């Protein structure tokens, strides 16, 4: 399957949906070529608003449009969407529960060469903490397209976390996407790897590595981090050991969300793969994934150590 | 279009009732912001009692004019005006800031009928108003959008992002008011962080600017007419006001920004607002 960036899929999906859903309007902050909202802008110039380099006003304007029945998709880089405009998202969008979709691209360290200032590794934590917000982190192009459609069709604020770097397409067209429902991609019994976003592909690779060691790993894709699918997590916990994997800080993201469920409902040993409370740096995406311990081998190694400590 | 004597009389009376509500509400709540609520009372009365196309029985009417209270701490004024217009019973005013009330400390569009936008965090309202005005243009609707900002609020960077955008998108269906009372919390705006010269700043951002006496209905209504006939750019009405207006011991007193009058103080204020 070809490698496609989730932002590319977003751009295409949005332009497609724009045809069907006339209430969709799109706002960007001088990054439409990068976020791929330019595809929509070209097709529907009257429904596209470039707000300039002014993210706080972008979120507030999206909120105002939503009060009048529009379905605004607000796009910029994840770091600016969720960082610069956090309080606008909180007070002008989430508190009044307005129908704004924040589709932020360039999330995570796979932004690459731009370095730490542009690598958003706290956005899931920030968005997950907000009442009314749905947080979705698609794994590939197929899932992104389905998630964009689902986001447009559901009521209320949604945070869509998208990447810059091309990633393998794991899912075929027949793949079924249900917001809030985790997907068991591979059954297993020794350990469960729960992954989100670009880490889903790494988790599948890790399971293959473990297979060679005679370890049978379950792989779960959690595309919707909020509301989280407790049922699938508890099912995974039956393996007796869980590794979480995300391209995000280990603080506040998927690992934390899974740990919250487990510690209250079914405590089992857990290891969190993610960025270990440090900032990123410049480099090629693949180099950075290795440097920060996010490669398939890192997941596999975490699974091996964890299995030893299984009660 | 000159305003009739009767109309002026009606507005003056309504404003007095609204000011009395503000005093009663904040005294009953034991907290709140009387100073900035009193300074903008006449502007809200002019809008809701004369200008705005609204239907209190149908608060979400899609074609209604919109109002965003960007300086959300003046919520008592908005609630008093909405109650007077019949959006909800006046008895509700007593519940301001109390547990389970529809009248939150700052405006909440999901809890209070007639509130068009949730506000309270300063600097965000103009952006939301821009969004409403853009939606109106997109849908070919003729409704107008009004927004009220504090003069201290103008220190927020987002206001100027939004000011730039409103001019860029030629939002002539949008009118902003600045409640220019010269005071914020820590003191006079010119000592804390001067946003002056406000008129020049908005002009430089591409806005049509009108100066008015914010306590003179003729002045305010005339400015609104001028804003409506101004095409191709948004209008800002800079309203010279007195913080605490109508209650002598509160007027121009920075201390009355964010504290409620005691029962005795309230009685004295209500006496001053009689007639
Ligand atoms: C973002 C934000 N910062 C601080 C505050 C706290 N605050 C409430 S009112 C106020 C002063 C506002 O002054 P001004 O805009 O002049 O209002 P007015 O004089 O009309 O009451 C401040 C700092 C707030 N509500 N929002
Ligand atoms: Mg002031």
């Amino acid at each position: 399957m070809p490698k496609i960036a989730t932002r590319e899929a977003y751009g295409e999906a949005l332009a497609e949906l724009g045809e069907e859903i006339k209430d969709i309007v799109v706002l960007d902050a001088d990054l439409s070529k990068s976020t791929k909202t330019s595809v929509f802008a070209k097709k529907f110039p009257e429904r596209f608003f470039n707000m300039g380099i002014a993210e706080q006003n972008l979120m507030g304007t999206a909120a105002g449009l939503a009060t009048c029945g529009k379905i605004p998709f607000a796009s910029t880089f994840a770091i600016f969407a969720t960082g610069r405009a956090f309080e606008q998202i909180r007070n002008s969008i989430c508190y009044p529960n307005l129908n704004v979709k924040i589709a932020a691209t360039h999330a995570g360290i796979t932004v690459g060469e731009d370095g730490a200032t542009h690598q958003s590794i706290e956005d899931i934590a920030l968005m997950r903490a907000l009442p009314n917000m749905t947080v979705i982190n698609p794994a590939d192009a197929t899932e992104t397209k389905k998630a964009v459609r689902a986001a447009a069709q559901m009521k209320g604020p949604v945070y869509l976390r998208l990447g810059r770097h091309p990633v393998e397409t794991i899912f075929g067209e027949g793949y079924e996407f249900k917001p809030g429902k985790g997907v068991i991609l591979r059954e297993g019994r020794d350990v469960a790897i729960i992954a989100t976003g670009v880490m889903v592909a790494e988790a599948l690779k890790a399971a293959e590595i473990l297979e060679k060691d005679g370890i049978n790993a379950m792989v779960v894709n959690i595309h919707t981090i909020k509301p989280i699918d407790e049922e699938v997590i508890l099912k995974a916990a039956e393996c007796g050991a869980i590794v979480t994997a995300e391209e995000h800080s280990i603080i506040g993201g998927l690992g934390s969300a899974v740990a919250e469920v487990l510690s209250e409902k079914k405590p089992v040993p857990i290891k969190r793969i993610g960025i270990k409370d440090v900032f990123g740096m410049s480099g090629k995406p693949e180099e950075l994934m290795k440097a920060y311990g996010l490669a398939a081998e890192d997941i596999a190694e975490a699974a091996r150590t964890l299995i030893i400590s299984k009660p | 279009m000159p305003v009739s004597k009767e109309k002026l009389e009606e507005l003056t009376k309504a404003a007095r009732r609204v000011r009395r509500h503000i005093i009663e509400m904040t005294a009953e709540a034991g907290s709140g912001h009387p100073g900035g609520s009193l300074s903008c009372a006449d502007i809200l009365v002019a809008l809701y009692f004369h200008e705005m196309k609204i239907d209190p029985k149908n608060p979400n009417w899609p074609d209604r004019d919109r109002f965003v209270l960007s300086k959300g701490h003046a919520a008592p004024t908005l609630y008093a005006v909405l109650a007077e217009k019949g959006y909800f019973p006046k008895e509700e005013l007593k519940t301001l800031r109390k547990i389970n009330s529809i009248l939150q400390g700052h405006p909440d569009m999901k809890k209070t009928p007639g509130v068009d936008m949730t506000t309270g965090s300063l600097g965000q309202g103009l952006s939301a108003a821009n969004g409403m005005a853009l939606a109106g243009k997109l849908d070919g609707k003729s409704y107008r959008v009004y927004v009220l900002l504090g003069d201290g609020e103008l220190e927020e960077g987002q206001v100027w992002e939004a000011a730039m955008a409103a001019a860029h998108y030629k939002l002539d269906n949008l009118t902003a008011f600045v409640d220019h009372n010269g005071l914020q919390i820590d003191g006079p705006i010119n000592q804390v962080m001067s946003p002056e010269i406000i008129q020049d700043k908005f002009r430089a951002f591409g806005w049509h600017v009108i100066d008015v006496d914010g306590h003179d209905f003729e002045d305010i209504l005339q400015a609104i007419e001028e804003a409506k006939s101004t095409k191709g750019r948004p209008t800002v009405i800079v309203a010279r006001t007195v913080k605490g207006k109508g209650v002598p011991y509160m007027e121009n007193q920075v201390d009355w920004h964010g504290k409620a009058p005691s029962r005795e103080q309230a009685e004295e204020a209500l006496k001053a607002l009689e007639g």
Side-chain angles (χ1 to χ4, degrees), chain A residues 48-70:
Chain A
F48 174 81
F49 302 105
N50 202 325
M51 302 313 293
I53 314 159
E55 297 77 14
Q56 304 172 59
N57 182 50
L58 176 141
M59 293 304 169
T61 307
L65 282 157
T67 67
C68 297
K70 299 294 170 200

Side-chain angles (χ1 to χ4, degrees), chain B residues 54-74:
Chain B
I54 46 171
D55 180 3
K57 281 189 213 67
N58 187 6
N60 296 322
W61 178 35
D63 293 337
R64 73 190 184 281
D65 286 347
R66 268 91 172 153
F67 176 74
V68 178
L69 183 65
S70 192
K71 44 167 277 187
H73 57 281

Side-chain angles (χ1 to χ4, degrees), chain A residues 87, chain B residues 33 35-37 39-40 71-74 106 120-124 149-156 179-186 189 241 243 257:
Chain A
E87 201 235 309
Chain B
H33 300 83
S37 295
S39 66
C40 65
K71 44 167 277 187
H73 57 281
H106 292 83
S121 173
L122 294 170
Q124 302 193 20
L149 300 114
D151 50 3
E153 183 181 8
L154 301 181
E155 292 154 16
E156 281 286 356
D179 185 355
H180 194 5
N181 56 29
L183 298 177
Q184 50 192 109
I185 294 183
D186 280 348
I189 55 170
T241 56
K243 205 157 172 168
H257 170 84

Side-chain angles (χ1 to χ4, degrees), chain A residues 145-217:
Chain A
K145 286 196 169 177
K146 304 204 178 229
V148 172
R149 175 175 291 272
Q153 286 166 343
M154 74 176 88
K155 272 260 178 251
V158 176
Y159 178 64
L160 270 174
R161 185 184 207 237
L162 305 164
R164 178 191 83 92
H165 193 57
V167 290
E168 281 160 53
T169 302
I170 339 178
F171 304 119
E173 274 311 312
Y175 173 74
E176 207 187 330
F177 176 89
K178 277 208 210 90
K181 276 271 159 246
V183 190
I184 298 176
L185 298 178
R186 187 187 158 119
E187 294 287 353
R189 50 170 198 278
D190 299 329
V191 61
I193 307 167
I194 302 182
T196 189
V198 300
M199 295 303 283
V200 172
E202 296 300 319
L204 288 167
K205 279 184 226 157
E208 276 168 33
I209 297 172
L210 290 168
E211 186 83 66
K212 291 192 189 111
D213 301 347
I215 297 170
N216 187 222

